[in-house]
Amino acid sequence: MLTGAATWALPSLASGPISRPNGERVVSLIGPEAEPSHGGVPLAPPDKQPPNLEIPEPQKKLGWAIVGLGKLAVEEILPAFGKCRSSRVTALVSGHPDKAKRLAEVYGVPEEGIYNYEDFDRIRDNPDVDVIYIVLPNSMHAEFSIRGLEAGKHVLCEKPMASTLAECERIISTARNANRRLGVAYRLHYEPLNLAVMEMCRERHYGPVKTFFASNCQNVEAPNIRLSGPLGGGPVGDVGVYCINAARYTIGEEPLEAIALEVRPESDARFREVPETVSFLLRYPSGVLAACECSFGTARSSSYHVLCEKGSITMDPAYSYRGLKLWTEDSHEGTARRTDLQIEQVDHFAAEMDGFSQAVRDDHAVPTPGEMGLADMRIVLAVMESARRGGEPVSVESPVV
């Protein structure tokens, strides 16, 4: 439901007279004998229980191992388990044993559930681990995704999926051979406002998409692994991929080619290994153009704007962990009309982990499979190659020459 409006059910009415504990007969005010002046409207449920109270059904919680205990894991992912219904943290993997031990105490992870990168493969013998969540530097995604799958565990990997197409394909092949679920952590595919946008675009609520604009920029302070070339950093794979993925779920096509330009200011030592800013244009088979920008050296922006034939859809902020806003605009009798969509928001990471757990438990497809990560990586590499060539168009099907 796009409006997000809640539907309230009235309490059921009592059937007639009731008695006090001492046997005295009284007349109920919420049944057929209610006084007309009260209108028969109950002021409280007869059994002191809210009539619309939903009691959750008990369900098995899958055990998760978090691999990499950096800022994202510590500040967002681990706290999100407190809101999960289908997922629980049962193991931690880190190169910093003291930090892992402290976090294990906070989240109730047993000592035998603590691993380092060298003994990580022992996790195959831990029956309390069903899923491994890779939250490592980009350059380590492929190695630990493959090791996790070969250990017989399902894997959710942070984006970008890997550093090369060959690595992405190897991860997918390993998952297929191991008969394990593989997902890429595109959390917005589990977030209600972005899901509403997907539905509107899929159903062509405002007609076909004509043009797409997106921006995802922030000011990253050093030291930070995202500023390291050898660790797979750079704005395109880290924040630009949000724009790329949003273009897919709004336009509904794969781009043919990319044209990109980058900025590497010599005056700023942060950008000696990766670009500060990359602006790029994607061209699609239907003729739609997507204009996107991403940066590690500007004030924050987080938005996308979908221009359709009969109206527009805007998310701003679009990619943040909380506080997202969605509105649409169209013309009614020649007058511009804006509609703000109020939809209850969720913890992105809890929704994402529970969604993945449910796919594993119920044996259904993952909403964000490895193939999606591979498709995005093709576009990321085409953008980076075009920027390297100074804006020359590069085919998405063969991004690197």
Side-chain angles (χ1 to χ4, degrees), residues 44-50:
D47 58 358
K48 299 182 181 180
Q49 290 292 331

Side-chain angles (χ1 to χ4, degrees), residues 92-139:
L92 300 172
V93 183
S94 174
H96 302 278
D98 291 343
K99 178 166 62 173
K101 185 176 180 180
R102 287 171 59 192
L103 288 168
E105 291 173 353
V106 171
Y107 291 100
V109 174
E111 186 175 351
E112 58 270 23
I114 301 176
Y115 303 86
N116 57 48
Y117 300 136
E118 288 70 33
D119 70 2
F120 171 72
D121 300 312
R122 290 193 302 108
I123 208 165
R124 72 169 62 249
D125 300 319
N126 189 337
D128 289 332
V129 174
D130 302 291
V131 180
I132 293 173
Y133 191 169
I134 307 298
V135 200
L136 293 165
N138 300 342
S139 60

Side-chain angles (χ1 to χ4, degrees), residues 61-368:
K61 287 190 174 184
L62 269 61
W64 284 63
I66 305 302
V67 184
L69 301 179
K71 184 179 177 69
L72 179 63
V74 172
E75 294 186 358
E76 300 292 343
I77 295 172
L78 286 171
F81 280 105
K83 301 175 184 177
C84 288
R85 291 188 175 186
S86 303
S87 314
R88 62 191 180 103
V89 58
T90 55
L92 300 172
V93 183
S94 174
H96 302 278
D98 291 343
K99 178 166 62 173
K101 185 176 180 180
R102 287 171 59 192
L103 288 168
E105 291 173 353
V106 171
Y107 291 100
V109 174
E111 186 175 351
E112 58 270 23
I114 301 176
Y115 303 86
N116 57 48
Y117 300 136
E118 288 70 33
D119 70 2
F120 171 72
D121 300 312
R122 290 193 302 108
I123 208 165
R124 72 169 62 249
D125 300 319
N126 189 337
D128 289 332
V129 174
D130 302 291
V131 180
I132 293 173
Y133 191 169
I134 307 298
V135 200
L136 293 165
N138 300 342
S139 60
M140 301 171 71
H141 285 185
E143 176 190 350
F144 281 86
S145 292
I146 290 169
R147 287 171 69 179
L149 291 163
E150 290 178 339
K153 309 302 181 180
H154 305 278
V155 168
L156 180 68
C157 179
E158 266 300 328
K159 48 77 199 150
M161 183 178 178
S163 298
T164 68
L165 296 182
E167 287 180 341
C168 293
E169 290 167 347
R170 188 179 170 201
I171 298 170
I172 293 170
S173 175
T174 303
R176 187 179 301 117
N177 293 337
N179 194 27
R180 300 289 89 181
R181 288 285 191 274
L182 169 65
V184 183
Y186 292 113
R187 55 186 166 79
L188 298 181
H189 285 255
Y190 302 86
E191 189 282 315
L193 290 170
N194 278 278
L195 287 171
V197 174
M198 295 177 202
E199 180 183 340
M200 283 189 281
C201 291
R202 184 170 56 249
E203 296 184 352
R204 296 195 169 193
H205 192 73
Y206 293 108
V209 175
K210 295 295 185 178
T211 305
F212 175 90
F213 299 92
S215 177
N216 197 5
C217 304
Q218 55 190 263
N219 204 341
V220 177
E221 296 182 1
N224 192 301
I225 59 173
R226 295 185 294 170
L227 299 172
S228 168
L231 294 180
V236 180
D238 193 275
V239 293
V241 73
Y242 282 97
C243 305
I244 289 169
N245 198 261
R248 172 181 293 106
Y249 61 70
T250 55
I251 298 171
E253 302 177 42
E254 293 300 312
L256 298 172
E257 64 180 1
I259 300 172
L261 292 171
E262 66 176 32
V263 177
R264 293 177 183 251
E266 294 182 359
S267 60
D268 196 330
R270 289 178 297 169
F271 304 110
R272 60 186 182 271
E273 294 182 356
V274 302
E276 176 195 70
T277 301
V278 179
S279 293
F280 56 96
L281 192 68
L282 303 176
R283 184 172 66 85
Y284 292 80
S286 65
V288 175
L289 296 177
C292 309
E293 62 181 1
C294 55
S295 180
F296 279 164
T298 73
R300 181 174 293 275
S301 70
S302 170
S303 65
Y304 63 78
H305 189 52
V306 189
L307 286 175
C308 305
E309 185 177 69
K310 300 176 182 178
S312 64
I313 304 166
T314 301
M315 285 280 296
D316 188 4
Y319 320 112
S320 305
Y321 299 145
R322 49 195 63 87
L324 305 189
K325 293 183 179 179
L326 166 62
W327 67 89
T328 63
E329 292 179 301
D330 62 0
S331 178
H332 179 67
E333 296 181 350
T335 303
R337 177 177 59 181
R338 169 170 166 159
T339 302
D340 292 271
L341 281 77
Q342 304 297 324
I343 302 176
E344 184 176 359
Q345 299 191 31
V346 300
D347 185 294
H348 296 190
F349 295 95
E352 174 183 65
M353 291 187 290
D354 271 356
F356 190 86
S357 288
Q358 289 157 12
V360 170
R361 187 191 62 207
D362 301 336
D363 193 28
H364 62 69
V366 176
T368 57

